[in-house]
Amino acid sequence: MNFITGKHLPRRTFLRGMGATVALPFLDAMVPAARAQGAAKAATDLTRLVCIEEVHGLAGCVPLVANKFLFAPETTGRNFTLVPDNPFSQLEAYRSAMTLVSNTDVRMAEAFAAPEIGGDHFRSSAVWLTQAHPKQTQGSDLWAGTSLDQLYAKKFGQDTAFPSLQFCIENLDQAGGCTYNYSCAYTDTISWATPNQPLPMIRDPRVAFDTLFGAGGTPEARAERRVTRRNILDFIQGEVASLKRQLGVADRARMEQYLDFVTEVERRIKMVEAQNSSGESRELPDAPAGVPDSFSEHMKLMFDIQVLALQTNLTRVISFKTGRDAQNRVFPESGSNGAYHPTSHHGNREATIVEFNKINKYRVGQMAYFLEKMKTTMDGDKSLLDRSMIMWGSPMADPNVHNHRRCPLAFFGHANGKLKGGLHLKTPDGTPMANPMLTAMHMLGMEDKSFGDSTGEFALND
């Protein structure tokens, strides 16, 4: 057993075999007995950050229906009410870990010059986590800003296998130039390592799974494994058996639960691949075989992979883009047959706004699955939800008029005690804290002078 160090397991323990590399969750055996409390705290007290973008805003941010409280509740503080048609009412079970922030602005996504007018959908995603105004170009001279997730990764993610991971749901591999003289790079990611270095996002659950678990050292080895239908755990059975003999009862139970989770996620990916390779017609004919046609199943698989990545401390930083601007996908499970982007351009027709809100409710409702997984997955003596800050938001408010004022923003989790939860906060007009990135940095305890000093500016009281 080449991973044993002294009398305890290092936090970064991997089981290896035939090109497969499986990281472990936090176990009691990873804490040296002589300094158990301090080591346990040191191993788990760094907050995980997950940033989830919603591209087209919410119906609740449309001025025409402001009195229906479809996003911002009527009152601030702890005693707020979520009306039944508010998409976040579906997350009421996680209210104690939910912080809604209304009245935020993403002004850097607005048009600054006449040639930029109308191009909001093709620059907004680049703005959400950078709060920088993208340079209009279809060449390689890109310029946006360094994104929040990457600032956090540089500070808190350098000792993990992946300083950050980037995932998405829709097809984001359009090369070259998009509309209004913007490079498609601005639309294809929310993560920027530097102002001119956008980071690619993984759409295919199979690719994401194999990235985490090193499933085969080469593309040929990975292809052979899929053909023979061998599971990832088949390659490390000897290592698992040897490790279990050294663990206590509680740790063995944690190991079994974790490995069962890994096996279940891989089983579902295989089912998707088999269905999509069967020759039957697909709703997403151009998507890779590992991508489910079902939006809900795709979201669940990507959420499960994120939980695995956080649980094993392979990363502490994840960005997740759940849509692509101006997409025309239909979500019949929402109860609406309207295409996403056209319905968001509601023309101030209340009936169309209602249809848009149905889509919003369906999409926001996917968060319940993720929050439950995070709540029930333990990391030491606390859950991943306690250890994490999940930032959900949109760089748009009302897409009908390409409005970026009063954008929706929500946080989930307790960020290792930094977030109290159970709150509706409203940013004061005209202050720096109306900027969602500064709001997030304040909540993470990051006072970065390059984005302005938020001390004393953030008048959001609980």
Side-chain angles (χ1 to χ4, degrees):
M1 300 294 290
N2 56 11
F3 50 78
I4 301 299
T5 301
K7 295 183 179 180
H8 69 279
L9 294 177
R11 179 64 179 94
R12 291 182 64 183
T13 295
F14 298 89
L15 304 179
R16 307 177 190 276
M18 295 294 291
T21 304
V22 177
L24 296 181
F26 185 77
L27 302 171
D28 291 341
M30 294 173 177
V31 182
R35 48 191 176 89
Q37 289 185 342
K41 184 177 187 300
T44 58
D45 65 358
L46 287 176
T47 297
R48 281 75 159 174
L49 174 65
V50 181
C51 303
I52 303 175
E53 185 212 23
E54 183 77 357
V55 290
H56 289 159
L58 293 178
C61 299
V62 176
L64 182 66
V65 295
N67 62 347
K68 295 185 182 295
F69 311 112
L70 299 180
F71 170 61
E74 186 172 8
T75 60
T76 58
R78 295 199 173 277
N79 297 319
F80 65 90
T81 298
L82 294 172
V83 299
D85 281 337
N86 187 317
F88 289 88
S89 66
Q90 302 166 102
L91 308 179
E92 187 73 53
Y94 310 97
R95 182 188 181 102
S96 64
M98 176 168 60
T99 303
L100 298 179
V101 184
S102 59
N103 206 43
T104 64
D105 292 337
V106 184
R107 302 187 183 197
M108 298 303 282
E110 295 176 351
F112 284 10
E116 299 176 346
I117 295 173
D120 302 69
H121 282 300
F122 304 97
R123 62 175 172 263
S124 292
S125 285
V127 176
W128 187 54
L129 292 180
T130 66
Q131 292 301 310
H133 189 71
K135 176 184 178 180
Q136 208 168 21
T137 179
Q138 293 195 16
S140 60
D141 55 335
L142 303 169
W143 193 263
T146 303
S147 55
L148 170 64
D149 60 316
Q150 295 306 300
L151 291 173
Y152 195 78
K154 287 175 184 176
K155 190 169 185 179
F156 299 112
Q158 297 305 303
D159 61 337
T160 59
F162 302 99
S164 68
L165 288 168
Q166 296 77 231
F167 300 116
C168 67
I169 289 293
E170 303 300 342
N171 180 22
L172 299 176
D173 59 0
Q174 298 187 38
C178 284
T179 312
Y180 291 91
N181 200 33
Y182 284 105
S183 167
C184 290
Y186 295 127
T187 312
D188 285 353
T189 186
I190 56 175
S191 294
W192 290 71
T194 67
N196 60 3
Q197 185 182 353
L199 296 178
M201 313 198 87
I202 299 173
R203 180 192 186 193
D204 189 338
R206 166 58 70 186
V207 175
F209 184 89
D210 287 354
T211 297
L212 291 190
F213 296 110
T218 65
E220 292 76 19
R222 289 190 288 271
E224 187 274 336
R225 186 175 67 84
R226 289 195 290 270
V227 169
T228 59
R229 304 186 66 80
R230 294 182 69 184
N231 295 325
I232 189 75
L233 299 188
D234 292 342
F235 294 91
I236 58 168
Q237 285 181 349
E239 294 278 282
V240 170
S242 181
L243 176 59
K244 283 183 178 179
R245 288 193 291 269
Q246 304 178 52
L247 298 179
V249 174
D251 276 351
R252 286 200 298 271
R254 291 190 191 101
M255 273 281 293
E256 288 287 353
Q257 185 179 36
Y258 163 68
L259 294 176
D260 286 347
F261 185 24
V262 173
T263 301
E264 172 62 14
V265 172
E266 187 172 28
R267 182 192 68 81
R268 284 162 45 212
I269 292 173
K270 286 183 176 182
M271 287 183 62
V272 170
E273 291 174 326
Q275 173 64 33
N276 291 341
S277 303
S278 66
E280 295 184 12
S281 61
R282 295 190 59 186
E283 293 180 24
L284 303 175
D286 297 328
V291 173
D293 286 349
S294 163
F295 179 81
S296 290
E297 179 58 22
H298 195 180
M299 288 285 284
K300 287 176 180 177
L301 278 172
M302 299 308 277
F303 278 143
D304 282 338
I305 288 167
Q306 291 173 54
V307 170
L308 286 170
L310 296 170
Q311 180 184 11
T312 53
N313 205 39
L314 285 170
T315 193
R316 298 188 188 105
V317 185
I318 294 173
S319 60
F320 187 29
K321 186 170 175 52
T322 63
R324 193 178 198 275
D325 269 276
Q327 66 168 284
N328 293 323
R329 189 168 185 171
V330 176
F331 304 96
E333 303 96 325
S334 69
S336 172
N337 290 319
Y340 190 24
H341 179 225
T343 304
S344 74
H345 284 269
H346 47 77
N348 277 331
R349 295 182 294 272
E350 190 161 349
T352 309
I353 295 173
V354 169
E355 290 300 299
F356 184 39
N357 193 55
K358 289 179 183 178
I359 299 172
N360 298 157
K361 288 179 67 177
Y362 170 70
R363 290 175 61 89
V364 171
Q366 307 304 311
M367 285 290 296
Y369 182 87
F370 186 42
L371 296 177
E372 184 63 20
K373 288 285 187 180
M374 294 286 282
K375 180 180 178 181
T376 56
T377 301
M378 300 304 294
D379 185 65
D381 61 350
K382 295 185 182 298
S383 72
L384 279 181
L385 192 59
D386 291 323
R387 303 277 187 207
S388 303
M389 186 177 93
I390 303 167
M391 177 184 180
W392 179 101
S394 178
M396 277 202 178
D398 180 2
N400 181 61
V401 290
H402 291 172
N403 175 35
H404 305 277
R405 309 288 175 100
R406 299 174 302 280
C407 294
L409 182 65
F411 297 93
F412 299 91
H414 294 292
N416 280 310
K418 295 184 181 73
L419 281 175
K420 295 181 180 179
L423 284 169
H424 167 216
L425 306 175
K426 183 177 181 180
T427 63
D429 288 329
T431 68
M433 294 320 300
N435 178 323
M437 187 171 174
L438 284 180
T439 301
M441 294 179 77
H442 178 92
M443 291 180 169
L444 285 167
M446 296 174 66
E447 305 298 341
D448 191 312
K449 301 299 181 182
S450 66
F451 292 93
D453 183 1
S454 65
T455 304
E457 300 274 13
F458 195 53
L460 302 185
N461 299 316
D462 58 359

